[in-house]
């Protein structure tokens, strides 16, 4: 059988540890037998980042801007322990942070559902996608401890040198203060990314903040979303029969728990950090969570939401068998290939991506799964397999589906 052709190369970002091992297996067992893979390869493994003074990460992000679609393997964000382990010149920054700073945009995280792996919340029968604003607020804050007797003020000096002052608090005991910011530009690009993603995936969009308490700051988010929706997106949403709605974060939380899923929940930076961990855990396993960064000018970077699964990698290095879940990394590939297929008008490539996902879910629903899912599954015929056998089982089903 002839392999499926591609037109434009996919930006491929390799990574570290166990996920790097899985990356190669996915290509060998699941992709290259069927697709004439065209990719522009960037090695974001820590060795290469160190050798290139991290230039490779910047090049990969620039290539993503140029071609529009990337797939990324999990990578190590170095800490003190990694300095001697990899003999690093510097404690390089998080590649995801570098890529996000260049592409801008919003991170969308969605769980992958399979029968027999049940969410802790039984009504959640469809995925809930969290859209997290990835700029500002408490992540770019300035904070201080202040002693008793301090009078603390917010001071803004405008371009003409005029000062506006507001009292924060006069302290009669010791305390703490914090300053944070966001920009209209970043909030607007967050809003557009969310509206575009809702149109792309034909799902309702929910957005919530604490605007009853934060009447200027959070209210600004609400107003920018509302204005952009009314002027640029309302007609398109109506045409697709999907909805945008804003509510208070407290109300959103209780609605989410009672919902059946199937929508996008846009969150401010901190809310998104915490709520995506909550949603991922409630759906079962980090190994079943996908993540895509969507830039305001329409570039897509797909990855798994988990890290490099370091503990499994050390076992692998000792020659022991591992049972690492590759589903999120497979779905990063299928998501990227499908998007490439849509942009280049290649229905065979889109179909391949659909079949790859179906083969993966079928494998789990047939009872063949990795250790993390084995613990969660209530299937009677379940069987725990190792990392490679899991991929081979998917491969068998994929071959059958593709004839
Ligand atoms: P992790 O790699 O996500 O793994 C934490 C634990 O979660 C694992 O030890 C494992 O539990 C379980 N787990 C995660 N993914 C799994 C999978 N696919 N299959 C089975 N079990 C899975 O996080 P970490 O160990 O804290 O971080 C390791 C490295 O990853 C760090 O260097 C960090 O910087 C990096 N990281 C990268 C990204 C990214 O590139 N997007 C994100 C997060 C972390 P058990 O050991 O109990 O089986
Ligand atoms: Mg978090």
């Amino acid at each position: 059988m002839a392999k499926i052709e591609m037109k434009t190369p996919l930006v491929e970002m390799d990574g570290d540890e166990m996920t790097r091992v899985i990356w190669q297996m996915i290509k060998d067992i699941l992709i290259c037998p069927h697709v004439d893979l065209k990719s522009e390869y960037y090695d974001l493994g820590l060795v290469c980042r160190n050798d290139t003074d991290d230039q490779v990460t910047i090049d990969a992000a620039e290539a993503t801007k140029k071609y529009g679609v990337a797939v990324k393997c999990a990578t190590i964000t170095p800490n003190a322990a990694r300095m001697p382990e990899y003999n690093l010149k510097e404690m390089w920054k998080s590649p995801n942070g570098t890529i996000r700073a260049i592409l801008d945009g919003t991170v969308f995280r969605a769980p992958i559902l399979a029968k027999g792996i049940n969410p802790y919340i039984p009504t959640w029968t469809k995925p809930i996608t969290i859209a997290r604003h990835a700029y500002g607020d408490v992540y770019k804050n300035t904070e201080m401890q202040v002693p008793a007797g301090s009078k603390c003020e917010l001071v803004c000096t405008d371009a003409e040198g005029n000062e506006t002052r507001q009292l924060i608090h006069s302290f009669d005991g010791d305390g703490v203060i914090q300053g944070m910011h966001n920009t209209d530009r970043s909030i607007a690009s967050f809003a557009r990314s969310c509206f575009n993603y809702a149109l792309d995936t034909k799902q309702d969009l929910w957005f919530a903040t604490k605007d009853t308490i934060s009447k200027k700051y959070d209210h600004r988010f609400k107003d920018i979303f509302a204005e952009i929706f009314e002027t640029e997106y309302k007609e398109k949403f109506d045409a697709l029969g999907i909805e945008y709605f804003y509510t208070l974060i407290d109300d959103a939380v209780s609605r989410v728990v009672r919902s059946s899923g199937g929508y996008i929940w846009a969150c401010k930076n901190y809310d998104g950090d915490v709520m995506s961990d909550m949603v991922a855990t409630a759906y079962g396993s980090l190994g079943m969570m996908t993540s895509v960064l969507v830039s305001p000018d329409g570039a897509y970077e797909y990855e798994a939401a988990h890290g490099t699964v370091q503990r499994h990698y050390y076992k692998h290095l000792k020659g022991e068998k591992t049972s690492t879940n590759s589903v999120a990394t497979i779905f990063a590939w299928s998501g990227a290939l499908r998007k490439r297929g849509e942009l280049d008008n290649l229905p065979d490539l889109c179909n391949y991506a659909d079949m790859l996902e179906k083969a993966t879910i079928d494998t789990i629903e047939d009872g063949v799964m990795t250790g993390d899912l084995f613990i969660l599954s209530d299937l009677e015929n379940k069987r725990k397999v190792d990392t490679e056998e899991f991929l081979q089982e998917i491969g068998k089903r994929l071959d059958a589906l593709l004839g």
Side-chain angles (χ1 to χ4, degrees):
M1 269 254 305
K3 289 192 189 180
I4 296 160
E5 296 287 335
M6 293 179 65
K7 276 186 202 152
T8 316
L10 196 60
V11 178
E12 175 184 350
M13 306 182 196
D14 208 343
D16 288 300
E17 299 194 310
M18 200 60 211
T19 40
R20 186 180 181 97
V21 175
I22 287 174
W23 195 258
Q24 192 60 48
M25 288 182 183
I26 291 174
K27 284 167 66 177
D28 291 344
I29 301 172
L30 299 177
I31 298 174
C32 294
H34 303 285
V35 178
D36 191 9
L37 180 65
K38 252 194 193 167
S39 75
E40 196 164 292
Y41 179 87
Y42 293 87
D43 186 358
L44 265 56
L46 189 48
V47 174
C48 181
R49 277 183 276 148
N50 192 54
D51 286 346
T52 62
D53 293 340
D54 212 19
Q55 185 60 39
V56 66
T57 308
I58 296 164
D59 293 346
E62 292 297 343
T64 307
K65 268 187 163 170
K66 174 174 163 195
Y67 292 114
V69 187
V71 58
K72 179 180 170 291
C73 180
T75 47
I76 293 169
T77 299
N79 56 14
R82 301 293 193 172
M83 297 295 288
E85 185 183 357
Y86 283 85
N87 197 11
L88 298 181
K89 300 183 215 167
E90 237 180 77
M91 212 186 284
W92 304 108
K93 282 193 271 183
S94 148
N96 286 337
T98 304
I99 294 166
R100 245 177 252 157
I102 293 172
L103 292 180
D104 192 5
T106 304
V107 177
F108 296 87
R109 294 206 154 165
I112 301 153
L113 305 191
K115 286 193 206 84
I117 314 292
N118 299 319
Y120 288 96
I121 298 182
T123 52
W124 286 5
T125 54
K126 286 173 277 180
I128 296 169
T129 302
I130 299 267
R132 175 183 170 188
H133 186 206
Y135 178 81
D137 301 350
V138 74
Y139 300 85
K140 280 248 185 252
N141 74 356
T142 312
E143 48 184 30
M144 272 184 225
Q145 279 192 337
V146 295
S150 303
K151 178 186 169 196
C152 298
E153 292 172 297
L154 266 182
V155 182
C156 170
T157 313
D158 72 16
E160 279 77 49
N162 308 308
E163 277 188 2
T164 315
R165 285 172 178 267
Q166 273 182 38
L167 180 69
I168 299 171
H169 191 65
S170 294
F171 286 85
D172 46 21
D174 294 350
V176 282
I177 58 167
Q178 178 181 69
M180 59 184 196
H181 79 281
N182 223 299
T183 65
D184 283 8
R185 202 176 100 145
S186 178
I187 299 166
S189 94
F190 171 42
R192 289 194 178 90
S193 297
C194 291
F195 292 131
N196 286 335
Y197 197 77
L199 291 172
D200 230 24
T201 59
K202 299 184 188 60
Q203 297 183 90
D204 289 347
L205 177 69
W206 300 12
F207 181 43
T209 72
K210 192 74 178 174
D211 65 295
T212 46
I213 299 297
S214 175
K215 291 189 192 325
K216 294 263 163 56
Y217 198 106
D218 279 18
H219 214 283
R220 190 78 194 126
F221 280 77
K222 178 183 176 177
D223 287 346
I224 289 175
F225 266 70
E227 193 187 311
I228 291 177
F229 179 70
E230 286 304 323
T231 53
E232 300 172 29
Y233 290 94
K234 188 165 186 324
E235 277 173 27
K236 294 179 195 155
F237 270 55
D238 288 347
L240 275 186
I242 58 173
E243 190 188 14
Y244 166 64
F245 100 98
Y246 177 88
T247 185
L248 195 62
I249 185 94
D250 316 51
D251 179 49
V253 167
S254 74
R255 281 174 189 256
V256 164
V257 171
R258 286 180 281 118
S259 77
S260 56
Y263 51 85
I264 301 158
W265 180 13
C267 292
K268 287 178 60 203
N269 210 346
Y270 174 80
D271 298 340
D273 184 352
V274 180
M275 289 303 156
S276 66
D277 286 340
M278 191 272 286
V279 167
T281 309
Y283 272 107
S285 166
L286 259 186
M288 300 290 279
M289 191 62 123
T290 60
S291 185
V292 55
L293 173 69
V294 181
S295 83
D297 39 44
Y300 292 76
E301 184 234 339
Y302 293 84
E303 61 166 355
H306 58 76
T308 60
V309 213
Q310 181 180 15
R311 226 174 52 82
H312 294 211
Y313 181 60
Y314 290 162
K315 271 177 74 177
H316 170 81
L317 286 181
K318 282 194 259 166
E320 291 171 32
K321 285 274 180 214
T322 57
S323 185
T324 315
N325 189 339
S326 47
V327 172
T329 307
I330 294 170
F331 273 62
W333 275 99
S334 58
L337 289 169
R338 182 185 296 106
K339 181 54 73 184
R340 205 55 280 165
E342 286 168 10
L343 294 174
D344 293 345
N345 196 17
L346 299 169
D348 288 350
L349 192 59
C350 296
N351 180 58
Y352 166 81
D354 292 346
M355 292 306 114
L356 175 57
E357 291 179 359
K358 179 169 165 39
T360 306
I361 299 299
D362 285 353
T363 303
I364 298 168
E365 294 184 346
D366 287 345
V368 180
M369 58 192 79
T370 47
D372 57 321
L373 300 182
F374 186 81
I375 304 168
L376 299 170
S377 173
D378 61 6
L379 292 178
E380 274 172 17
N381 60 341
K382 64 180 175 178
R383 179 163 72 89
K384 178 181 162 181
V385 291
D386 67 43
T387 307
E388 186 164 0
E389 192 182 349
F390 181 64
L391 288 163
Q392 272 154 357
E393 288 282 340
I394 297 170
K396 274 196 251 171
R397 288 166 179 78
L398 180 62
D399 292 348
L401 284 169
L402 294 172

